[in-house]
Amino acid sequence: MPTRVRELAEATPATRDRYVDLLRVASLGTVVLGHWLMAAVTADGVGNLLAVVPELQVLTWALQIMPVFFFVGGFSHALSHRSLRRKQPEGPVYAAFLRARLRRLLRPTMVFVAVWGAAALIIQLLGGGGGLTGVTLRLVTQPLWFIGIYLAMVAFTPPLLRLHERYGWGVFGALVSGAVAVDVLRFAYGVPFVEFLNFAFVWLAVHQLGFLRADGRLRLPSVLAACGLAGAAALVALGPYPLSMVGMPGEKVSNMAPPTVALLCHGLWLVGAVELLRGPGARLVARPRVWRTVVAANGSAMTAFLWHLTAMLGVYGALLTLDVPLPEPASAAWWAQTPLRIAAAAVLTAVLVAAFRTFERPSPLPLPSPSPSRSQVPSPVVPGSGPLAALGITLCLLGVLGLSMVGFAGLLEGRSAMLIAFPVTAPAAVAMALVGWLLVERTSRGGGVTSGD
């Protein structure tokens, strides 16, 4: 294990909630494994195993674990913002908070976008882009939707944290009520475009639970898990909601895009479940070897997430190039080959992580200090930078979400996709994300604020 990782692990303060770090790594790892398992690639294209074997869709009630990541994000964001307020009680903190939180997220993301954008342009200029290559150019950007949603959560953290500190559970209740109202307007009255509001209401409600955990106010996780599971089951059984908690090709209604109340209930059950496992999980991660592994994984988790589909599709591309037979999805031969494909994808992901992890600079674990030092003084913030930072993060999330939808296929033909109510092309999406990132970077100088991760 690298010396740096060992030093960070050994320097971890006793007050750090290591279980949160474990949840962050485990949730991203589960998503990666789920994507590798669901891919049903043949010589004719890429399908979804859950569409081939619909009975397996019930597995998404365990494998669709993104709500846990957003819940953990709310916990970390609350601690980070409060720490910044203590260090800079009189100054504007919004821009500094955004910059501190986004640094580690956007650098590896923009590198990923730049590498794939250049590769896509070269491939299409040379006349390529058909077959599995074209599918790859469309699919590799899909995980960026998660980055876009996470950016929105970072942007909303300061005002929602203020509301949480005043109204507590009331803010969570208001967000849940908003999600329910949206689904009623969508399904009962057919109001157009209203469903997109649930990208905010549903995910921010889960994020708000992280604030409550930071204050020690999630005291009945068994009730939360039971109510969430019962609610999701009832909605799927009685309402217009599908069984799968991930998007399925060709479905009229998706629980994911846009999110539904059923997905919100699913998130509640998962949050309650992981909180019930908090004691055993904390004991597990207290072991030095386990904690060192978690620290190492946290240092490159986002890089692995960004590149895992590239690795998976690269494995399939190699198999097709070498004329290795690809069995019919869900057949006995396909299942027998699955462990080998996953192992190969894991190895290729590790290679890509080794190549690109330098762009994901791990935030240092908080270290005890006997007295304030110059390096701990918050970075100076440009006066009036709050609106500029808000504009920057809005452009970032729109650009990243747009790119997740349109992909890099059809660059030369100007291929576009609908982002809520307006079309967006890949070059336009990249430009929005880049300009937004630069705006956020310009709002604060230096890097004295730690992220609290």
Side-chain angles (χ1 to χ4, degrees):
M1 189 154 304
T3 303
R4 175 62 175 162
V5 170
R6 188 178 297 276
E7 290 175 350
L8 287 172
E10 292 175 352
T12 305
T15 55
R16 186 176 181 88
D17 193 331
R18 301 183 185 197
Y19 182 54
V20 166
D21 296 277
L22 176 64
L23 289 178
R24 182 185 294 111
V25 171
S27 57
L28 284 182
T30 302
V31 170
V32 169
L33 180 61
H35 285 168
W36 287 345
L37 282 172
M38 286 192 299
V41 180
T42 65
D44 299 323
V46 179
N48 191 316
L49 177 66
L50 300 180
V52 178
V53 188
E55 294 81 5
L56 293 178
Q57 291 178 18
V58 70
L59 296 179
T60 63
W61 288 48
L63 294 178
Q64 168 49 295
I65 204 167
M66 271 305 183
V68 174
F69 190 92
F70 294 143
F71 164 64
V72 168
F75 176 85
S76 297
H77 295 161
L79 297 187
S80 177
H81 192 267
R82 286 168 173 170
S83 174
L84 185 57
R85 285 203 319 236
R86 287 193 299 269
K87 295 175 182 177
Q88 195 170 302
E90 301 300 327
V93 299
Y94 186 75
F97 172 76
L98 290 190
R99 186 172 184 269
R101 300 305 298 178
L102 298 189
R103 256 189 154 184
R104 185 178 172 185
L105 187 66
L106 287 181
R107 288 183 79 240
T109 300
M110 297 310 294
V111 169
F112 171 83
V113 167
V115 170
W116 262 113
L121 183 60
I122 292 171
I123 289 169
Q124 291 170 72
L125 285 173
L126 294 176
L132 184 60
T133 301
V135 173
T136 299
L137 294 178
R138 291 197 305 272
L139 290 183
V140 291
T141 62
Q142 283 189 0
L144 294 179
W145 75 266
F146 152 76
I147 305 291
I149 298 299
Y150 199 75
L151 289 173
M153 292 181 177
V154 173
F156 280 105
T157 287
L160 285 180
L161 185 58
R162 294 284 190 186
L163 289 173
H164 161 76
E165 290 167 348
R166 183 170 182 179
Y167 299 108
W169 278 95
V171 182
F172 171 77
L175 291 168
V176 171
S177 298
V180 172
V182 165
D183 271 15
V184 169
L185 293 173
R186 175 186 180 184
F187 294 118
Y189 298 100
V191 177
F193 301 117
V194 70
E195 63 267 26
F196 294 105
L197 290 174
N198 266 354
F199 276 112
F201 287 133
V202 168
W203 290 125
L204 286 174
V206 176
H207 187 254
Q208 204 76 13
L209 290 174
F211 295 172
L212 290 161
R213 186 190 192 277
D215 288 347
R217 300 178 69 177
L218 285 182
R219 299 189 183 95
L220 297 172
S222 58
V223 173
L224 188 66
C227 290
L229 188 58
L235 289 170
V236 169
L238 304 175
Y241 304 97
L243 174 65
S244 175
M245 291 299 163
V246 301
M248 297 297 298
E251 64 186 356
K252 285 187 62 177
V253 176
S254 168
N255 281 322
M256 270 291 295
T260 64
V261 176
L263 183 66
L264 175 56
C265 289
H266 169 69
L268 301 186
W269 118 254
L270 284 180
V271 168
V274 298
E275 281 296 282
L276 285 172
L277 296 172
R278 184 173 180 177
R283 289 191 293 272
L284 173 67
V285 82
R287 300 175 182 176
R289 182 173 298 179
V290 174
W291 177 236
R292 287 195 297 269
T293 301
V294 170
V295 171
N298 248 330
S300 55
M302 189 54 58
T303 302
F305 176 78
L306 287 167
W307 291 97
H308 77 279
L309 281 187
T310 301
M312 181 198 75
L313 292 165
V315 169
Y316 277 110
L319 292 175
L320 289 172
T321 301
L322 296 172
D323 291 325
V324 176
L326 292 179
E328 189 69 21
S331 65
W334 187 90
W335 284 110
Q337 195 188 69
T338 295
L340 297 176
R341 290 195 308 269
I342 290 178
V347 169
L348 186 50
T349 300
V351 171
L352 291 168
V353 167
F356 293 107
R357 76 171 302 275
T358 186
F359 299 102
E360 183 179 354
R361 291 181 294 185
S363 303
L365 297 175
L367 301 177
S369 176
S371 60
S373 65
R374 183 179 181 85
S375 63
Q376 293 173 305
V377 177
S379 306
V381 179
V382 179
S385 59
L388 190 64
L391 173 62
I393 197 169
T394 300
L395 289 174
C396 273
L397 70 91
L398 289 176
V400 169
L401 286 175
L403 190 57
S404 75
M405 300 176 69
V406 70
F408 281 118
L411 274 178
L412 302 182
E413 292 80 25
R415 180 175 181 268
S416 65
M418 292 298 293
L419 177 60
I420 304 179
F422 62 90
V424 61
T425 63
V430 172
M432 281 193 292
L434 182 59
V435 170
W437 181 36
L438 294 176
L439 286 176
V440 173
E441 283 290 315
R442 281 179 59 87
T443 59
S444 181
R445 306 183 186 92
V449 181
T450 59
S451 74
D453 276 349

